[in-house]
Amino acid sequence: MPIDPSYGDRHRALAEVFAKNPTEQEVRDLIGQLGGATAPVWCSPDVVVQDISVPGPRGPIPLRTYRPVRSPATSALLWAHGGGFEGGDLDMPEAHRVSGELARRAGAFVVSVDYRLARDGVRHPVPLDDVHAAWNWLGTQGLSAVTPGGPLALGGASAGATLALATALRSRDHAERLADALLLAYPCAHFPVPALDAATAVEMSRLPQFGRFTPIAVERIVRNYVGRISDLPAEAMPGHGRLDGLPATHLVLSEYDDLRPSGELLQRQLEEAGVPVGAYLARGMLHGHLNIAQSVRQVEESISFFAAVLKGAVADHASVRLPFTVCRGGEAPDHIPTSAEEIRPQASAPSDPEQACGSQA
């Protein structure tokens, strides 16, 4: 599927700004606007939204909670937004809208964490420490908002997905409360990032450089986050660490994303480590597609995918497993499960890529 035409206006607007030699903050602000930050604020009568803060190792950590109104929450999710470790906030669609929709659709208590950003000398592990502290809060005091025995999930998008995965590794290694499921949207788990397949690389070569995660751009992000690009700790780039013992993991990937190979490699690594894994490929989408209009079909399907995971975790959070796996070669599942009844433990994913894109009964 070609790159979705809805991106055309965004790229033209960015091109006009870059022609004027903008500051980094001006570029960041425009990207936020084009991503949907100026769209009407998400709200629903079915979800109560509250801003709170919890103690952290470096001071209070702002959280935004989303609680279903009509019935007690049957599960809980800690969600971390993206932004290259140095951007993003609780108001961006990838944080606010996604959290609210998951609370509404899955009947979950969702907590969005406003971790400290890698700016003004802040580096790894500070953002991770904040996410980890928020996770421990959810697993103790936050449980009062959830039906007793309800599953706890951990997730995020882009840099937030990397932080969520690293938090899961830290919890495993510290013998802490493990998540019952991981929800990761277009993560960057490796440095360097593996190369795109040839066909996707040709299609993406038509994109402007400022809309891509080139090797130089990724290097800058990693250097800003960690302070170096060599001898990286596994907690910074968790795809380089041990992955055994992690909970069932569910990936949302963008088809036209320089970081997609990292997500695909992560899937293969998890499978090799014996971790149940499933994924949805959003065809025609660029990195960060959860920030664009929800009316775009692939955005709606991505949110539905994660909502179904949370419902399935309630049905059987000890062995949640999606009925399809990641789609390779630009194909996507024909069916997105929408109810807990459709989520049941499955056998290992087929090794034939052509068999990996359909619903498996």
Side-chain angles (χ1 to χ4, degrees), residues 38-348:
T38 58
V41 176
W42 180 93
C43 64
S44 169
D46 298 325
V47 176
V48 173
V49 181
Q50 182 180 13
D51 288 334
I52 64 172
S53 65
V54 299
R58 293 173 176 82
I61 304 169
L63 305 177
R64 181 169 293 169
T65 66
Y66 302 77
R67 191 190 311 265
V69 171
R70 301 186 187 281
S71 60
T74 55
S75 63
L77 166 69
L78 180 72
W79 182 258
H81 65 76
F85 303 104
E86 61 180 319
D89 55 40
L90 296 181
D91 295 324
M92 62 193 295
E94 189 179 77
H96 184 57
R97 183 181 66 201
V98 169
S99 296
E101 282 296 307
L102 292 178
R104 184 180 69 85
R105 300 183 192 198
F109 176 59
V110 180
V111 178
S112 182
V113 54
D114 194 16
Y115 54 87
R116 287 167 175 79
L117 301 175
R119 297 181 184 175
D120 303 321
V122 173
R123 300 194 189 279
H124 171 84
V126 174
L128 173 60
D129 289 344
D130 281 353
V131 175
H132 183 220
W135 170 250
N136 284 336
W137 174 85
L138 179 61
T140 53
Q141 299 179 54
L143 283 178
S144 61
V146 184
T147 301
L152 272 63
L154 174 60
S158 193
T162 306
L163 293 170
L165 179 58
T167 297
L169 293 179
R170 182 181 283 187
S171 296
R172 178 202 64 190
D173 294 343
H174 293 182
E176 298 170 345
R177 171 67 161 89
L178 284 175
D180 297 301
L182 292 179
L183 282 61
L184 308 178
Y186 33 83
C188 179
H190 307 87
F191 179 79
V193 175
L196 289 163
D197 63 90
T200 305
V202 169
E203 185 71 18
M204 290 194 65
S205 67
R206 303 184 177 94
L207 291 172
Q209 289 296 297
F210 54 73
R212 299 189 55 183
F213 286 85
T214 64
I216 293 176
V218 175
E219 180 177 321
R220 191 202 69 79
I221 289 171
V222 173
R223 191 184 296 277
N224 178 72
Y225 174 47
V226 186
R228 60 186 187 275
I229 58 172
S230 61
D231 190 27
L232 298 176
E235 284 193 346
M237 288 289 124
H240 298 297
R242 280 182 44 239
L243 299 175
D244 58 289
L246 290 179
T249 302
H250 311 278
L251 301 164
V252 164
L253 305 178
S254 307
E255 182 178 9
Y256 294 107
D257 179 2
D258 291 290
L259 303 183
R260 189 184 103 195
S262 179
E264 293 174 332
L265 175 57
L266 177 63
Q267 187 216 0
R268 297 193 298 273
Q269 291 175 306
L270 289 166
E271 289 174 340
E272 183 178 84
V275 176
V277 58
Y280 166 67
L281 179 66
R283 292 188 290 183
M285 294 288 100
L286 306 185
H287 184 88
H289 70 268
L290 289 175
N291 278 309
I292 68 174
Q294 191 173 329
S295 58
V296 175
R297 177 178 60 83
Q298 296 90 329
V299 177
E300 170 67 22
E301 290 182 348
S302 297
I303 297 173
S304 293
F305 175 87
F306 280 153
V309 170
L310 290 173
K311 290 180 182 179
V314 172
D316 187 358
H317 69 266
S319 55
V320 61
R321 176 73 167 167
L322 290 186
F324 55 80
T325 187
V326 75
C327 297
R328 302 180 175 90
E331 294 300 325
D334 296 325
H335 174 62
I336 303 297
T338 56
S339 70
E341 288 302 311
E342 297 183 73
I343 309 284
R344 286 294 181 267
Q346 298 290 312
S348 300

